[in-house]
Amino acid sequence: MLAFKGAAVKEEVCAADERSVEVGKEEQLKNTKTEMDEVREENDRLKTILAHIIKEYQHLQKQYFDIVQQEQSKRPLETTNPSDVEEPDELVSLSLGTSSTGQKKEDVISTKKEREEDGKGLTLGLGCRFEGTRKRSPNEHESNLCSNSSSEEAKEEEPGEPRPPTEILMSLGTGDDEVPQQLPVKKARVTVRARCDAPTMIDGCQWRKYGQKIAKGNPCPRAYYRCTVAMGCPVRKQVQRCAEDMSILITTYQGTHNHPLPMSATAAAAAASMHLSGSSASEQGMEEAIGSLSSSSAAITSLSGLNFGLLGSTLSARQQSSYLPIPSPSPASSYSTITLDLTAPPSSTSQLSQLGRFPWYSSTRFNFPSSESTVPASWSNGYLSHEFRAYHDRPSQDSFCQSILQKAIDATTAPALNQHPLADTIAKAITSDPNFQSAVAAAVTSYVGDHRSRNGKEDVTHGMKLKRKIVPTVRFDLYSSIPNTNSSVPHLPAAMPIANACASS
DNA sequence: CGACTTTGACCAGCGC
DNA sequence: GCGCTGGTCAAAGTCG
């Protein structure tokens, strides 16, 4: 009897176990389904983003052709009136860097050629203009983010041969891939410092090593890589370990991608743009320049690159070569270097307290508890998914990131004593993702590439070179759209609030 | 065998 | 003009 009872109890226990197992399986199934749904939603969202990007691209292309046509129709007049070439009104309206004539007044010794360069500054000339608040040497004049275009053109251009705005416009954002046309130029560079054990950071692009050299002041060899994603892509990167801390990998990007970025890198760009856009960049004149552009969606979306560029220029205005605790690759060079320091130890408000001194630098100086920046397969879609979900998990992404930006900006403008624990907390939260370093790195590549023209290739069909400066558009689209979890439609207007947030500084 | 890396040579820019 | 340095080239070597 007892034995029977015992058997019955056993059976009950077994049944209970089976039920619990079934329940567990059901829950697992449920979770899996939920995850699948999330992935599906995310996929849809990405599709929407892609569609939007394409749409924007087409829109910009159309606008560009319109401008080309307009310029072509005006060309005869311009050839008879060289003064127009020096300061083309339309360039001013389109130029992010020529809106201020005050700058030219400051350049007492500016020659005609220099003025021509100013006229050519256009989008990348942004930095030039905002650096106008200080005196610059001729060298410095080239050494900023705008130098990509302006200095290149200055060298490409034969002195005394002012180009009509059309040509100037065409050559803007010139791709470095146009080797035959380009002499060695001074370019904006972006340096990323990150703790990384791998020889190089995985940033979504393919790189081929083409050289290695021992640089002065650093026993660690510097490796030279070029982008091999597309044939003739001019983007280069230098990788070197920090002499003081071998675990820190210093990656310097320069050049312009002449191809669409891999999705992973593009996505990373979006992720990082969120951070990079949030610095103290906006100045009044900048806003005005932006305003002259903001009549089109292209202009709006250009804010991204604009903003970024401005960040760099703002930075360079205060600190050429910005924050470089390591020996600068080329002290004598007039490169404008933006440094993203991703190596800061976890801490404290003290970092934000530095914002006032190094707005750009500090705005990107978030903590990365994980020292591993190389994430195997991190740039697969899986990573993408992870990355986005990480953002999505946060409520109201826009307000979230804007809050961060705003806080960072507040910290920038506030005295060091007036610190923002909230901002710090948020900064820590958003950067707690171990993949973020790679995200920023990829963003940098993206930026370096996007900063000027993505399609620097010659458009033979028009018998002229099409050098468009539209890529920041794409990146900003991503920026403004990806973080949004609630809306499947990229909400471009988000660009403006963000820009405003920057402007608020 | 092709792609990639290594490494010495070469070139250009800069300072003196 | 010379030397130093960074950056790039290209031949040779390596790897899968």
Side-chain angles (χ1 to χ4, degrees):
Chain A
M1 188 64 178
L2 280 174
F4 178 76
K5 269 190 177 177
V9 169
K10 250 186 185 178
E11 280 181 7
E12 282 181 9
V13 170
C14 287
D17 285 345
E18 284 177 6
R19 276 197 296 273
S20 64
V21 168
E22 281 181 8
V23 170
K25 281 183 180 176
E26 282 178 4
E27 283 181 1
Q28 204 174 351
L29 197 64
K30 207 175 178 181
N31 288 337
T32 308
K33 280 182 180 176
T34 309
E35 283 181 14
M36 283 183 66
D37 287 342
E38 285 177 1
V39 170
R40 202 171 293 136
E41 283 177 15
E42 203 168 281
N43 198 16
D44 290 342
R45 214 160 29 235
L46 291 173
K47 279 180 185 173
T48 310
I49 290 166
L50 186 62
H52 183 76
I53 289 169
I54 293 170
K55 193 179 171 185
E56 280 296 321
Y57 174 78
Q58 289 170 346
H59 181 72
L60 281 172
Q61 203 169 24
K62 189 184 170 190
Q63 283 186 331
Y64 172 77
F65 289 141
D66 288 346
I67 291 171
V68 168
Q69 285 179 349
Q70 287 177 10
E71 296 292 344
Q72 279 177 336
S73 64
K74 289 178 185 176
R75 187 175 262 186
L77 289 175
E78 285 157 1
T79 52
T80 58
N81 189 4
S83 62
D84 289 343
V85 175
E86 293 183 13
E87 294 186 5
D89 290 341
E90 289 170 27
L91 275 181
V92 171
S93 67
L94 286 172
S95 168
L96 308 178
T98 58
S99 59
S100 169
T101 55
Q103 163 61 24
K104 285 172 184 166
K105 291 175 184 172
E106 284 187 16
D107 288 337
V108 181
I109 60 171
S110 66
T111 62
K112 179 182 177 181
K113 183 182 174 182
E114 283 175 330
R115 275 182 276 127
E116 288 172 7
E117 285 181 16
D118 287 347
K120 296 173 210 166
L122 207 62
T123 303
L124 291 176
L126 183 61
C128 296
R129 298 289 73 76
F130 279 93
E131 285 188 2
T133 55
R134 62 165 189 158
K135 290 196 171 185
R136 290 166 300 159
S137 67
N139 231 12
E140 287 173 323
H141 187 272
E142 295 177 333
S143 64
N144 49 44
L145 287 175
C146 71
S147 63
N148 286 0
S149 59
S150 60
S151 62
E152 285 174 23
E153 266 108 50
K155 295 191 176 184
E156 287 177 18
E157 187 79 5
E158 283 295 324
E161 288 183 14
R163 293 183 301 177
T166 305
E167 266 187 65
I168 295 170
L169 183 67
M170 291 297 143
S171 62
L172 286 168
T174 178
D176 290 353
D177 49 321
E178 294 170 353
V179 177
Q181 285 197 352
Q182 294 193 350
L183 299 173
V185 293
K186 291 164 182 170
K187 305 165 185 176
R189 307 202 296 190
V190 181
T191 299
V192 180
R193 301 178 80 241
R195 296 190 182 279
C196 178
D197 295 331
T200 182
M201 292 177 68
I202 298 171
D203 49 22
C205 290
Q206 290 179 330
W207 302 94
R208 176 173 179 166
K209 191 175 182 179
Y210 67 89
Q212 180 171 308
K213 205 160 184 98
I214 300 287
K216 188 185 179 184
N218 192 337
C220 304
R222 178 183 299 163
Y224 298 90
Y225 295 86
R226 61 163 56 102
C227 178
T228 58
V229 172
M231 276 272 289
C233 179
V235 175
R236 310 273 163 98
K237 79 168 178 179
Q238 302 172 7
V239 179
Q240 187 175 30
R241 296 228 165 255
C242 180
E244 296 165 2
D245 185 351
M246 299 292 193
S247 67
I248 295 175
L249 196 68
I250 301 158
T251 308
T252 303
Y253 298 88
Q254 69 180 40
T256 304
H257 288 286
N258 64 354
H259 54 84
L261 286 167
M263 188 56 189
S264 53
T266 307
S273 291
M274 183 167 61
H275 292 266
L276 302 181
S277 303
S279 103
S280 63
S282 328
E283 299 177 25
Q284 195 58 37
M286 184 63 206
E287 281 192 300
E288 290 170 6
I290 291 169
S292 68
L293 287 166
S294 60
S295 58
S296 70
S297 60
I300 293 170
T301 52
S302 292
L303 286 172
S304 173
L306 197 63
N307 197 12
F308 202 170
L310 180 59
L311 299 179
S313 60
T314 302
L315 169 90
S316 56
R318 299 191 183 199
Q319 36 169 167
Q320 275 291 330
S321 222
S322 69
Y323 174 78
L324 275 178
I326 55 165
S328 176
S330 176
S333 75
S334 55
Y335 286 109
S336 170
T337 304
I338 302 166
T339 299
L340 307 181
D341 193 334
L342 310 180
T343 63
S347 85
S348 68
T349 55
S350 64
Q351 289 174 3
L352 282 177
S353 70
Q354 298 175 4
L355 286 167
R357 280 184 287 160
F358 303 111
W360 159 255
Y361 160 71
S362 53
S363 68
T364 61
R365 185 174 178 171
F366 294 112
N367 305 327
F368 296 93
S370 169
S371 65
E372 185 57 71
S373 63
T374 53
V375 184
S378 66
W379 295 105
S380 65
N381 288 336
Y383 163 69
L384 213 59
S385 173
H386 165 66
E387 178 80 12
F388 289 160
R389 186 174 299 126
Y391 288 128
H392 291 165
D393 287 341
R394 298 180 173 88
S396 182
Q397 188 59 46
D398 280 342
S399 58
F400 171 72
C401 62
Q402 285 179 38
S403 165
I404 292 172
L405 304 183
Q406 190 55 57
K407 292 297 178 184
I409 290 161
D410 289 345
T412 303
T413 55
L417 289 175
N418 184 17
Q419 296 177 359
H420 294 256
L422 176 60
D424 192 34
T425 304
I426 296 172
K428 282 178 182 173
I430 196 170
T431 57
S432 62
D433 189 330
N435 292 323
F436 193 78
Q437 291 180 47
S438 295
V440 173
V444 166
T445 10
S446 147
Y447 163 69
V448 169
D450 293 358
H451 189 58
R452 295 184 294 164
S453 72
R454 172 169 293 176
N455 297 322
K457 299 172 182 175
E458 295 185 10
D459 189 338
V460 185
T461 59
H462 285 75
M464 57 183 71
K465 290 167 192 140
L466 297 182
K467 301 170 183 177
R468 288 166 287 210
K469 238 178 226 315
I470 59 172
V471 175
T473 301
V474 174
R475 204 156 53 83
F476 205 87
D477 287 351
L478 285 169
Y479 168 38
S480 60
S481 58
I482 284 176
N484 186 2
T485 60
N486 299 328
S487 169
S488 61
V489 178
H491 53 296
L492 216 50
M496 293 312 291
I498 290 162
N500 290 339
C502 298
S504 67
S505 69

